């Protein structure tokens, strides 16, 4: 029989268990609240989120780079670009002087001209389409008696059609200036008085895509030969489904490819990173590390944003210290170039010392603990330890940049394209866009006139870049 004393002990025991359960629940809720607050605190300055995701609450942009001490604008010695006079103008208009501005005399019309003061005005001619009619002669052969016709020039295949220059302009405005079909059709009617159908514009893009086949093959062969190749990927809506735009670029070449997958299946299909044997720069997407035949360098700009978040939101002092150390290393590299072996060992020692300070707060899980959920700080520390040489690759080889900005800048245009025109309705349309944009970006990097380059592509003579020089 339970006594009052036993009942009291049981009640106290149950109460203690209830309190402990509540404490565990509160701890979990606090952890969850911290995670949700962390998500809300993320923006383009302290994470991988794009600026477009910041919304109206976007914070004032703050660069992670240090001040250089230079004033804004063009620096001393930088060549300015302004409108320059030409030696041989297309037209010359003479403005006669008949009345003296000093005394009002009207006898100047009979006086000889002593000199001219000239001013030049640069303007556009009245836009108009020039129609050329091709007439192929038809004759009767006196030998065989058959009626024969002359051949039309290559490219003249329809009773009525647009010429190569007009098609090139349409491709340029649609693919480089990103004008949607409807606005481009309106532009043509306003400028040339000629209505234009979406099918005509699509056919011009299709023609350029097919003529750029030799360029596309050369690009896949030449990009892996570069000393440093930058890789990135971004989501792309195609046929109302998520696809991925992949970019592989150098300072002179740009490759774009679209695929339904983000990882190695897509990378193998493009055949670029698998052929790289030198440096590849990326942002730690794990699929890249499946290719061990090349040297991997990680983007430190991404790392700085992650460290900024941990310092500002998690008050992780080691994160601020590591960020400062990386900026010091970057400044040293800019001034002195790549470090020698002894200098690099000392830099690596300082790097690891800061990482150890973070480990005091976030110990690494042992192998017998299995896979457990970790904090963002612990996950980042794992990467900092496992890939320290990849993060510090810019100190080893002066050809390796501090950031992956080359790929990020090259992939940015697709986000602009999506904002203007939305998703691609067909996979074929996305593939056409990628190939033409690859050509446009490559020509721009190599200082070629983009419109002229597109004209060459439309007539079947695209610009083919030369292979980069091989280094050590």
């Amino acid at each position: 029989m339970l006594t009052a004393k036993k009942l009291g002990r049981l009640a106290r025991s149950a109460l203690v268990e209830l309190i402990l359960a509540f404490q565990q629940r509160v701890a979990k809720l606090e952890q969850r609240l911290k995670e949700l607050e962390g998500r809300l605190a993320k923006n383009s300055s302290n994470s991988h989120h794009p600026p477009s995701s910041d919304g109206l609450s976007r914070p004032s942009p703050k660069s992670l780079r240090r001040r250089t001490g230079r004033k804004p604008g063009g620096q001393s010695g930088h060549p300015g670009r302004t409108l320059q006079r030409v030696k041989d103008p297309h037209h010359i208009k003479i403005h006669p002087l008949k009345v003296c501005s000093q005394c009002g005399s009207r006898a100047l019309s009979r006086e000889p001209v002593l000199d001219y003061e000239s001013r030049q005005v640069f303007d556009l001619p009245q836009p108009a389409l020039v129609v050329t009619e091709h007439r192929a002669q038809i004759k009767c052969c006196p030998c065989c008696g058959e009626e024969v016709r002359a051949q039309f020039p290559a490219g003249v295949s329809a009773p009525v059609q647009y010429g190569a220059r007009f098609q090139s302009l349409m491709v340029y405005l649609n693919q480089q200036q990103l004008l949607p079909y409807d606005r481009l059709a309106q532009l043509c009617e306003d400028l040339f008085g000629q209505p234009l159908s979406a099918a005509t514009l699509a056919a011009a893009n299709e023609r350029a895509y097919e003529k750029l086949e030799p360029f596309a093959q050369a690009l896949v062969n030449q990009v892996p030969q570069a000393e440093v190749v930058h890789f990135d990927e971004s989501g792309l809506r195609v046929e109302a489904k998520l696809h991925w735009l992949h970019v592989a670029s150098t300072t002179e070449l740009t490759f774009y490819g679209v695929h339904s997958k983000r990882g190695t299946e897509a990378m193998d299909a493009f055949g670029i990173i698998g052929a790289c044997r030198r440096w590849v720069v990326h942002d730690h997407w794990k699929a890249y590390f499946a290719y061990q035949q090349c040297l991997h360098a990680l983007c430190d700009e991404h790392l700085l944003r992650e460290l900024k978040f941990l310092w500002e939101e998690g008050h992780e002092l080691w994160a601020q210290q590591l960020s400062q150390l990386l900026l010091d290393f970057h400044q040293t590299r800019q001034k002195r170039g790549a470090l020698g072996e002894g200098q690099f060992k000392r830099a690596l020692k300082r790097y690891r010392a800061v990482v150890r300070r973070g480990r005091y707060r976030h110990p690494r899980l042992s192998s017998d603990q299995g896979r457990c959920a970790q904090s963002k700080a612990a996950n980042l520390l794992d990467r900092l330890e496992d890939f320290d040489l990849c993060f510090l690759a810019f100190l080893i080889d002066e050809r390796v940049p501090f950031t992956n900005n080359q790929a990020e800048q090259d992939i940015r245009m697709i986000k602009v394209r999506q904002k203007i025109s939305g998703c691609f309705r067909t996979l074929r349309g996305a593939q056409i866009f990628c190939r033409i944009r690859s050509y446009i970006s490559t020509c721009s990097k190599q200082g070629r006139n983009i419109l002229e380059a597109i004209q060459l592509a439309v007539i079947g003579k695209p610009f083919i870049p030369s292979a980069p020089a091989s280094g050590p």
Side-chain angles (χ1 to χ4, degrees), residues 229-233 273 280-286 288-289 295-300 302 390 403-404:
V229 184
H230 297 257
F231 290 88
D232 201 1
E233 68 289 328
I273 190 171
V280 296
V281 184
H282 52 86
D283 56 1
H284 205 279
W285 174 235
K286 289 186 178 180
Y288 292 119
F289 288 103
L295 301 171
H296 293 265
L298 293 175
C299 176
D300 286 290
H302 276 77
C390 297
T403 73
N404 194 29

Side-chain angles (χ1 to χ4, degrees), residues 81-366:
R81 299 187 65 178
T82 185
L83 200 60
Q84 300 291 333
R85 295 175 62 91
V86 297
K87 184 177 181 181
D88 299 313
H90 299 89
H91 307 283
I92 297 177
K93 288 187 176 181
I94 303 298
H95 300 280
L97 179 61
K98 299 179 179 180
V99 179
C100 177
S101 59
Q102 301 297 324
C103 64
S105 171
R106 297 181 176 272
L108 293 180
S109 57
R110 296 188 298 271
E111 297 298 315
V113 177
L114 303 179
D115 200 355
Y116 290 94
E117 179 184 354
S118 64
R119 298 177 181 179
Q120 294 185 345
V121 177
F122 289 68
D123 205 349
L124 288 172
Q126 182 66 30
L129 288 176
V130 178
V131 181
T132 301
E133 182 173 294
H134 295 263
R135 297 180 177 180
Q137 293 181 342
I138 303 174
K139 295 183 178 181
C140 181
C141 178
C143 297
C144 63
E146 293 292 331
E147 189 178 90
V148 292
R149 291 172 171 79
Q151 295 293 324
F152 283 102
V156 181
S157 56
V160 180
Q161 67 182 72
Y162 290 105
R165 282 194 294 270
F166 183 81
Q167 292 183 56
S168 302
L169 178 61
M170 296 303 100
V171 173
Y172 170 83
L173 293 174
N174 179 239
Q175 300 292 323
Q176 168 64 4
Q177 303 302 334
L178 304 179
L179 286 181
Y181 282 173
D182 292 342
R183 290 174 58 190
L184 189 50
Q186 180 182 357
L187 175 68
C188 291
E189 187 163 5
D190 292 341
L191 286 180
F192 308 112
Q194 183 69 34
L196 198 66
S197 68
T200 301
L201 297 175
N205 285 331
E206 182 78 31
R207 177 184 177 88
Y209 172 85
E210 293 174 353
K211 297 297 183 180
L212 285 173
E213 176 65 27
F215 165 82
Q217 292 296 328
L219 200 61
V220 172
N221 294 332
Q222 293 176 20
V223 170
Q225 300 180 39
E227 301 294 337
V228 179
V229 184
H230 297 257
F231 290 88
D232 201 1
E233 68 289 328
S234 180
L236 185 68
R237 302 296 295 182
V238 179
E239 297 176 335
K241 297 179 181 178
L242 177 63
H243 284 63
W244 293 91
L245 178 80
H246 294 253
V247 61
S249 63
T250 70
T251 56
E252 294 185 347
L253 305 171
T254 305
F255 167 85
Y256 295 107
V258 62
H259 200 278
S260 59
K261 301 295 183 181
R262 185 185 182 189
T264 55
E265 182 179 339
M267 298 175 188
D268 290 339
F270 298 135
I272 292 182
I273 190 171
C276 291
R277 295 296 182 270
R278 298 182 179 89
W279 287 105
V280 296
V281 184
H282 52 86
D283 56 1
H284 205 279
W285 174 235
K286 289 186 178 180
Y288 292 119
F289 288 103
Y291 303 91
Q292 295 297 318
Q293 81 287 347
C294 51
L295 301 171
H296 293 265
L298 293 175
C299 176
D300 286 290
E301 189 72 27
H302 276 77
L303 177 57
L304 289 177
R305 290 197 289 266
E306 291 185 83
L307 293 172
K308 180 182 179 183
F309 175 79
L310 292 177
W311 163 242
E312 291 182 345
E313 303 301 326
H315 306 291
E316 303 277 353
L317 180 60
W318 65 270
Q320 185 191 41
Q321 293 171 342
L322 184 58
S323 178
Q324 187 69 34
L325 183 63
L326 288 171
L327 292 174
D328 289 340
F329 288 162
H330 180 42
Q331 189 175 39
T332 301
R333 210 295 291 270
Q334 287 182 312
K335 291 181 178 179
R336 305 177 186 175
L339 304 184
E341 182 177 353
Q343 293 174 315
F344 178 75
K345 287 182 177 179
R346 289 191 291 272
L348 181 60
K349 184 177 180 180
R350 293 175 62 190
Y351 169 93
R352 288 175 174 172
V354 177
V355 173
R356 280 197 300 271
R357 295 170 198 162
R359 275 300 180 204
Y360 294 146
R361 295 191 61 180
H362 308 278
R364 187 160 194 154
L365 296 177
S366 59

